[in-house]
Amino acid sequence: MPKPARPARLRRKPSTRKRARTLPRVLRALAMLVLGVMIVPIVPIATLRFFPPPTTAFMLASRSHDPATGRACPRVDYRWQPSARIHRRLARAVVVAEDQRFLEHAGFDTRASAGALEDYAAVEAMRGASTISQQVAKNL
């Protein structure tokens, strides 16, 4: 037996009901979008833990203009070496040459960045303050 229809004065307006269902959907979609934007970059970064990068920005740029010679470099000699094959002193020397305070910060050297900003504000020579982590992110 079908239910009797409600009187018109007791019925909800369709637009209110629709709006009530739409808001949670929109919020859920927005939350998924934010989560995706946060998680998507992790995948390629995590992949670099196990696989060498196929190329870098410098390798691509050297094909048209090699910084050392000024001419195009048709082939880049790129042979990935596992860290076990590199002497620990050489690895440490490379790290220190690029980022002297590498072991003292968590990937972002706030002290060096503040010093660079102070130098810029004082109209002194501009200098960099990027860390190895920032350079890898920029170059890849």
Side-chain angles (χ1 to χ4, degrees):
M1 180 170 189
K3 286 171 100 178
R6 287 185 174 184
R9 60 183 167 78
L10 296 178
R11 287 189 210 146
R12 284 174 128 193
K13 292 181 179 177
S15 62
T16 306
R17 193 174 343 150
K18 196 178 214 180
R19 211 175 306 139
R21 286 187 313 219
T22 304
L23 184 61
R25 286 180 182 169
V26 169
L27 290 176
R28 192 175 317 128
L30 186 61
M32 294 298 284
L33 178 68
V34 169
L35 187 63
V37 166
M38 291 170 52
I39 289 177
V40 167
I42 292 173
V43 174
I45 293 170
T47 304
L48 291 174
R49 168 71 173 95
F50 304 103
F51 301 103
T55 189
T56 67
F58 285 113
M59 288 182 198
L60 295 173
S62 69
R63 290 184 181 215
S64 62
H65 182 266
D66 185 17
T69 62
R71 294 175 294 175
C73 180
R75 187 173 89 65
V76 177
D77 187 12
Y78 172 67
R79 288 173 276 168
W80 186 262
Q81 297 296 318
S83 59
R85 291 203 56 204
I86 300 171
H87 194 281
R88 64 181 175 82
R89 288 185 180 163
L90 176 61
R92 184 173 291 158
V94 170
V95 168
V96 170
E98 289 296 321
D99 185 358
Q100 291 80 16
R101 295 178 5 93
F102 181 74
L103 300 175
E104 298 174 20
H105 58 74
F108 190 79
D109 192 352
T110 54
R111 189 166 46 177
S113 297
L117 285 172
E118 288 173 8
D119 289 352
Y120 180 72
V123 193
E124 295 178 17
M126 288 184 61
R127 65 178 177 90
S130 65
T131 62
I132 292 174
S133 309
Q134 293 168 311
Q135 291 176 36
V136 168
K138 176 188 77 170
N139 294 335
L140 292 179

